[in-house]
Amino acid sequence: MKNLTLPISEEDIRGLKVGDPALLSGVMLTGRDAVHKWLVDTFIEQKRTPQGDDLEVIETLKPLMAGGVIYHCGPVVSGLDTGDYSFVAAGPTTSIREEPYQAQVIKAFGLRGVIGKGGMGPATLAACQEQGAVYFHAIGGAATLIAKTVKKVLGVYKLDFGVPEAIWVLEVVDFPAVVTMDSHGGSLHDEVERRSETALAALLLKM
Amino acid sequence: MKDHTPDFLELIRLAATSLPPDVERALRAAVEREEPGSSGRAALEAILQNVEMARAGSTPICQDTGTPIFTVHHPAGWSTRALREQIRRAVAEATHRSYLRPNAVDSLSGRNTGDNLGDEHYPTIHFEESEDDALVVDLMLKGGGCENVGAQYRLPDSRLKAGRDLEGVRRAALDAVHQAQGKGCAPGILGIAIGGDRGTSYIASKETLLRQLDDENPDPALAELEDRITEQANMLGVGPMGFGGATTVLGAKVKATHRLPASYFVSISYMCWAYRRRQMTIQAGEAAYS
Ligand code: SF4
């Protein structure tokens, strides 16, 4: 078991390989579809001029992203009326939807990882290799268990994206995940799929 | 007729927060089959811990509480209109109490209704009159990630060399499990229907998921097929969460329905490990749950 404290150094990330179980502690951000599009359009490709509190928010987030991780998650949050937020259920969402954006976001903001479920594609894998980052796979459906590792909600930005789509800043202790894509080009998802394909071919030969 | 809204609410709470015993037993047995120290085993252990925590705290097992699908068997003379209203009231209240996540999204505007009440198909309610004097209601919460990896095959299928027989069904089922990989939150349970039209075939595939995991199909040929599909799907090695391992599916349930001479559909509904289904029986005004 690897105990990792956020922010994570490049050396620690390069030391991780596919299959390693990890417990993450420290400060992380949630971000899914709306956030990835916003980051790329506004700050990376600059197709959209910053509006409202965009510039302020990005300056606050930059230090958290450098060496940090983004968690693909649309949580159930309580305390919405009082602002005394707490995470009730917070399992991972399917990551592949961020594939068009993830590589750019990793490189532009110096992420050391993303957390989600289902794995990601070749562009993200290449960015992980280049930048020194990994894909952490959380346990799909283990929503109550994961919510319990969120000790504190430190803040929320872009709540106008909606509760599941907002950027939640979290303090976590021992958030459980498994490295399924590493910074050396290894992907457990590719390996498992290739093996399953061979096994399927053998089973279809039989009558 | 008594107002059963509170009974429906309890049925929903139970389904969303307390995994049925047969499913939990199957997950516990699966842990033992995974290599000590493997990611697959750790995933199953975390899943079981999550199941216990959700039950203890009455919180959702998974944050995606899925499509609520009710199947209502009612005695003669009950008003299905009144029952529908009570079910809808209970669904809205369950959402308010955070047993259910608001999941009903208008397909045109993208707006979430916020209370899980959509059009007449959402929540889904099937009514059937029975000869019994009890009201029996099954509720299944069908998650989105696993619904996305369901598949329908039209046999014959030349890519799979699948003809119109049980061997063809086996081929289609194994292909579906391979295509799904871990994306439906494996280990999954396969609901398989043979026959029907495209619509009834999928409905039947979900009906089979109401069976107990450890029951036996009364048709010996189908019973054998279920065992075979389960055993061989597990030989694919996809494993829990797609991490690799011995348990890719916990079981398969097959049902055959009548079809047109021209069509031979095999419809596969993939249910994730968070296999949330519960039953309520109301007899002489009193509700019991299982
Ligand atoms: S597939 Fe099932 S366990 Fe996985 S996220 Fe969806 S509802 Fe939850």
Side-chain angles (χ1 to χ4, degrees), chain A residues 92 117 140-141, chain B residues 62-64 143-146 184-185 272-274 276:
Chain A
K117 74 162 172 129
Chain B
C62 177
Q63 79 283 344
D64 182 3
C146 57
C185 288
C272 56
W273 69 259
R276 291 154 292 177

Coordinates of all heavy atoms in Angstrom, one line a residue, chain A residues 92 117 140-141, chain B residues 62-64 143-146 184-185 272-274 276, ligand 1:
Chain A
P92 N -16.9 7.6 -7.8 CA -16.3 8.2 -9.1 C -17.3 8.1 -10.2 O -18.2 7.2 -10.2 CB -15.1 7.2 -9.4 CG -15.5 5.9 -8.8 CD -16.3 6.3 -7.5
K117 N -13.3 6.4 -12.7 CA -13.5 5.0 -12.9 C -13.5 4.7 -14.4 O -13.8 5.5 -15.2 CB -14.7 4.5 -12.2 CG -16.0 4.9 -12.9 CD -17.2 4.0 -12.4 CE -18.5 4.5 -12.9 NZ -19.3 3.5 -13.5
G140 N -15.9 2.0 -8.1 CA -17.2 2.4 -8.6 C -18.3 1.9 -7.7 O -18.4 0.8 -7.4
G141 N -19.2 2.8 -7.3 CA -20.3 2.5 -6.4 C -20.0 2.6 -4.9 O -21.0 2.6 -4.2
Chain B
C62 N -24.8 3.5 -3.6 CA -24.1 4.2 -4.7 C -24.8 5.5 -4.9 O -26.0 5.6 -4.8 CB -24.1 3.4 -6.0 SG -23.3 4.3 -7.3
Q63 N -24.0 6.6 -5.3 CA -24.6 7.9 -5.5 C -25.5 7.9 -6.7 O -26.4 8.7 -6.8 CB -23.5 9.0 -5.6 CG -22.8 9.2 -6.9 CD -21.7 8.1 -7.1 OE1 -21.3 7.4 -6.2 NE2 -21.3 8.0 -8.3
D64 N -25.3 7.0 -7.7 CA -26.2 6.9 -8.8 C -27.3 5.9 -8.3 O -27.1 4.7 -8.3 CB -25.6 6.4 -10.0 CG -26.6 6.3 -11.2 OD1 -27.8 6.7 -10.9 OD2 -26.3 5.9 -12.3
G143 N -28.9 1.2 -12.2 CA -27.9 2.3 -12.4 C -27.6 2.6 -13.8 O -27.9 1.8 -14.7
G144 N -27.1 3.8 -14.1 CA -26.8 4.3 -15.4 C -25.6 3.7 -16.1 O -25.6 3.3 -17.3
G145 N -24.5 3.6 -15.3 CA -23.2 3.1 -15.9 C -23.4 1.6 -16.4 O -22.9 1.3 -17.5
C146 N -24.2 0.8 -15.7 CA -24.3 -0.6 -16.1 C -25.4 -0.7 -17.2 O -25.3 -1.5 -18.1 CB -24.7 -1.5 -14.9 SG -26.1 -1.0 -14.0
G184 N -19.3 -1.5 -16.3 CA -20.6 -1.5 -15.7 C -20.5 -1.8 -14.2 O -21.4 -2.3 -13.6
C185 N -19.3 -1.4 -13.6 CA -19.0 -1.8 -12.2 C -19.2 -3.2 -12.0 O -20.0 -3.7 -11.2 CB -19.8 -0.9 -11.3 SG -19.3 0.8 -11.2
C272 N -25.0 -3.9 -12.3 CA -23.8 -3.8 -11.6 C -23.9 -4.5 -10.2 O -24.9 -5.0 -9.8 CB -23.5 -2.3 -11.3 SG -24.8 -1.5 -10.4
W273 N -22.7 -4.6 -9.5 CA -22.7 -5.3 -8.2 C -23.7 -4.6 -7.3 O -24.2 -5.3 -6.4 CB -21.3 -5.3 -7.6 CG -20.8 -3.9 -7.2 CD1 -20.0 -3.1 -7.9 CD2 -21.2 -3.2 -6.0 NE1 -19.8 -1.9 -7.2 CE2 -20.5 -1.9 -6.0 CE3 -22.0 -3.5 -4.9 CZ2 -20.6 -1.0 -5.0 CZ3 -22.1 -2.5 -3.9 CH2 -21.4 -1.3 -4.0
A274 N -24.0 -3.3 -7.5 CA -24.9 -2.6 -6.6 C -26.3 -3.0 -7.1 O -27.1 -2.2 -7.6 CB -24.7 -1.1 -6.6
R276 N -29.6 -3.5 -6.6 CA -30.6 -3.0 -5.6 C -32.0 -3.4 -6.0 O -32.6 -2.8 -6.9 CB -30.4 -1.5 -5.4 CG -29.1 -1.1 -4.7 CD -28.6 0.2 -5.0 NE -28.2 0.3 -6.4 CZ -27.8 1.5 -7.0 NH1 -27.7 2.6 -6.3 NH2 -27.4 1.5 -8.3
Ligands
SF4_1 S1 -22.8 1.1 -12.5 FE1 -23.9 0.7 -10.5 S2 -22.3 0.8 -8.9 FE2 -21.4 1.7 -10.8 S3 -21.8 3.9 -10.5 FE3 -23.5 3.1 -11.7 S4 -25.1 2.5 -10.2 FE4 -23.2 2.8 -9.1

